[in-house]
Amino acid sequence: MSAAITDAIVLAAGRGTRLGAQTPKQFLAVGGKSVVARAIDAFLRNERVRRVVVAIGEEDEDVFSAAIGPRAGRLTSVVGGDTRQASVAAALEALSGDPPRKVLIHDGARPFLSQAIIGRVIDALDAHAAVIPGVPVADTLKRVEAGAVCETVDRSGLFQAQTPQGFLFGPLKDAHALSTQALTDDAGVMEAAGHAVVVVAGERGNFKITTQDDLAAAERAVTGMTTVGQGFDVHRLVPGGPLILCGLTLDEDMRLAGHSDADVALHAITDALLGAIGDGDIGAHFPPSDAQWAGAASDRFLRDATERVRRVGEVMHLDLTIICERPKIGPLRDAMRRRIAEICDLDHRRVSLKATTTERLGFTGRGEGIAAQALATVRRFADPEAAP
Ligand code: CTP
Ligand code: MG
């Protein structure tokens, strides 16, 4: 991880004329949470982002406050301008007193940016001054005049530019100061100043809400039916540490035995996630008979299950119970929750962790092994019975 400081700008000063709602689109709720709050939270959740500046319209103070509710102190707002570029300029100015090395600029109307995209953009800024996430154009492109096709446009090499776009702060500020054209993104400003702009992988899910259609798609994306999966696992305890549990390496004089690192807690969560989407179990995806998983770190399995869920839904909540006499989970609870949340790319408040002993009864009571059970709640993008 680079030590360079990264700040984020979220643009929310637009009027949303193409969508045409009374309230600007970024303040509308999707699945019970405002579009802009979803965007802001993605940055606040990212430990590599120092602070977030949101550009809002002068008249939108109240609706902004209502949309974001109480948020942590890393968030400030500035009054934006009449154009997207003017809003960016105002936010850059606000950061200038204590400038970051890297700055990410994101449309407040894009609610579904992932931690993976943020990470890719920040990483690429180690080697480049300007980075954008992009997705290759998938549909055939037509130039249309007066309702009729006049040309088929070759789509090869064409990408849709998404945000967050990332820049080295100094060069971007200089480019903005020089910019005279009206441009719809910041990469355009850098291109005009002669900088190379590099593309990293975006995600189709990271779409911008522009029209009523997009708003409906966003709503569909978060409000399918809810399913619950459960997982259970046991591993034997043997002498000699360290103990790997919940993705943490603990300084204990015992460890869990198994084919992989035997992280019983992560295995239970992995099975719960797979259960919620009806996608087999951990053994089906990572057979113990397969030598490549010998000694494997179990966060690999959990990441894979999370990815599988992400293709069809959103993880709403994980609830884990660890059953053991030792170690005492209380002092480790917070670190464990955060580690699980990190692996699953979730806010840690969506991860619950409980522990219990069995009053010295049974195999867990005798310290012969540790058991874990988990529940995963997943909101599906569509009815699981709907045609694929
Ligand atoms: N934006 C901004 N300040 C402006 C114009 C736009 O902060 N003066 C922001 C929008 O809030 C949005 C992003 O820039 O998050 C992308 O712009 P766009 O999708 O065009 O949003 P609007 O300008 O609000 O929509 P429209 O063009 O339909 O009016
Ligand atoms: Mg606009």
Side-chain angles (χ1 to χ4, degrees), residues 160-381:
Q160 289 175 269
Q162 301 188 332
T163 71
Q165 302 190 343
F167 307 96
L168 295 183
F169 186 81
L172 179 70
K173 198 143 188 274
D174 294 345
H176 261 272
L178 288 175
S179 169
T180 46
Q181 291 164 269
L183 296 164
T184 53
D185 75 350
D186 301 281
V189 173
M190 289 292 267
E191 289 156 43
H195 289 279
V197 177
V198 164
V199 181
V200 296
E203 290 169 11
R204 288 198 189 282
N206 179 32
F207 62 89
K208 186 177 63 138
I209 294 175
T210 305
T211 61
Q212 288 285 353
D213 247 15
D214 300 327
L215 190 62
E219 193 65 44
R220 276 199 303 279
V222 292
T223 53
M225 91 187 241
T226 297
T227 55
V228 175
Q230 69 105 22
F232 176 73
D233 196 26
V234 172
H235 277 279
R236 184 185 297 278
L237 278 169
V238 296
L243 174 69
I244 294 173
L245 192 61
C246 291
L248 299 180
T249 302
L250 305 172
D251 187 16
E252 297 282 339
D253 58 5
M254 57 196 178
R255 66 188 163 80
L256 289 164
H259 187 68
S260 64
D261 68 5
D263 191 327
V264 67
L266 298 194
H267 293 181
I269 299 173
T270 302
D271 264 357
L273 286 168
L274 294 172
I277 58 169
D279 191 359
D281 61 17
I282 190 169
H285 297 292
F286 302 98
S289 55
D290 190 334
Q292 67 171 307
W293 309 123
S298 296
D299 61 339
R300 166 82 179 70
F301 308 149
L302 183 51
R303 270 183 228 281
D304 179 83
T306 305
E307 268 315 304
R308 286 173 184 274
V309 171
R310 288 255 150 81
R311 281 177 222 145
V312 296
E314 184 182 5
V315 182
M316 302 310 295
H317 192 74
L318 299 174
D319 184 21
L320 174 71
T321 303
I322 299 175
I323 303 157
C324 64
E325 302 287 330
R326 280 177 49 215
K328 288 286 162 240
I329 302 298
L332 300 167
R333 185 199 310 268
D334 204 45
M336 287 177 160
R337 282 177 78 196
R338 284 175 192 275
R339 177 71 182 125
I340 293 165
E342 181 192 22
I343 297 167
C344 299
D345 191 4
L346 282 177
D347 187 296
H348 72 278
R349 288 167 294 191
R350 292 187 186 225
V351 179
S352 151
L353 197 161
K354 310 184 304 307
T356 185
T357 69
T358 47
E359 299 286 335
R360 307 235 177 96
L361 296 171
F363 70 86
T364 55
R366 291 189 296 272
E368 294 166 4
I370 297 181
Q373 53 191 32
L375 286 179
T377 310
V378 170
R379 189 151 58 186
R380 305 288 292 260
F381 293 156

Side-chain angles (χ1 to χ4, degrees), residues 11-18 25 81-84 87 107-109 208:
L11 298 171
R15 301 288 93 208
T17 46
R18 283 171 289 179
K25 59 192 180 184
D82 289 339
T83 63
R84 187 182 184 284
S87 297
D107 296 328
K208 186 177 63 138

